[in-house]
Amino acid sequence: MPTRSFIPAQQPPYRLGLTGGIGSGKSTVAARLQQRGAAVIDADRISRSLTAAGGAALPAIARAFGDDLIAGDGALNRTRMRELVFAQSDARQRLEAIVHPLIAEHTEQQYRQAVQEGHRLVVHDIPLLVESRHWRAQLHGILVIDCRKSTQIERVMARSGLTREAVQSIIAAQAGRAQRLAAADWVLYNDEGMGIDALNAHTDQIAAWFGL
């Protein structure tokens, strides 16, 4: 359950940051809030569209890193990009300098559309919210979906087929659990034994606080 009651903004929409580590159940909560009438702006989905074939970020990426970063299908060569990030200490910052302003631009466009459509709650689904200093000032509050690291590992292994070591590497590259909890205004604890029905019920309670 959340740690305290939500206090919606006086004039909607309320901009709620939603984050959590891989395997926490964040995407399930986002989907449920959307079903209840929230507008969900998915930062990961925007990022993937920007680096898909024909994506707006690709010309600048090619200029900064070379044409070999563009795969044969016209999309970002993600394998090559990951290798470059590991090999060059500044590669991630250079990539983020290209992609992040575009994500912010598309996010604002989607937010304005949500306002025009009359949504009371706009959920910003941001996996790297805690790692970024940009987002906090844009949001009215942050909801963290939390669970133990061991639960994350088991869930991701079960759904993806990745090895334990691979999942641990992904978790290690994200903000730590303590960092996320320190940034949270509210925490929804979704650990072993919660179950989808219970998780949906808690998410429905959150939606109800915003009149959804």
Side-chain angles (χ1 to χ4, degrees), residues 126-137:
I126 309 171
L128 301 182
L129 189 157
V130 175
E131 291 88 332
S132 171
R133 297 180 179 180
H134 164 77
W135 289 108
R136 190 62 182 92

Side-chain angles (χ1 to χ4, degrees), residues 164-176:
R164 182 175 298 273
E165 291 73 20
V167 179
Q168 289 173 329
S169 296
I170 295 171
I171 292 173
Q174 297 181 334

Side-chain angles (χ1 to χ4, degrees), residues 50-120:
L50 292 170
T51 55
L58 293 179
I61 291 174
R63 288 194 297 270
F65 297 101
D67 290 337
D68 64 327
L69 265 294
I70 309 302
D73 62 358
L76 175 67
N77 187 330
R78 298 183 185 280
T79 300
R80 180 76 184 94
M81 192 72 241
R82 281 193 295 269
E83 292 171 351
L84 198 62
V85 166
F86 280 114
Q88 298 183 11
S89 59
D90 68 336
R92 181 184 297 277
Q93 289 74 23
R94 291 163 59 201
L95 178 64
E96 290 176 348
I98 295 169
V99 176
H100 283 188
L102 292 170
I103 293 175
E105 179 183 334
H106 283 249
T107 295
E108 189 60 27
Q109 290 173 357
Q110 292 186 26
Y111 173 71
R112 289 197 297 267
Q113 181 178 347
V115 172
Q116 292 174 358
E117 293 173 351
H119 288 279
R120 296 181 59 84

Side-chain angles (χ1 to χ4, degrees), residues 135-154:
W135 289 108
R136 190 62 182 92
Q138 311 297 319
L139 305 169
H140 293 116
I142 294 174
L143 170 63
V144 169
I145 312 304
D146 180 53
C147 66
R148 294 172 299 169
K149 181 179 177 180
S150 59
T151 302
Q152 290 180 265
I153 293 171
E154 295 303 322

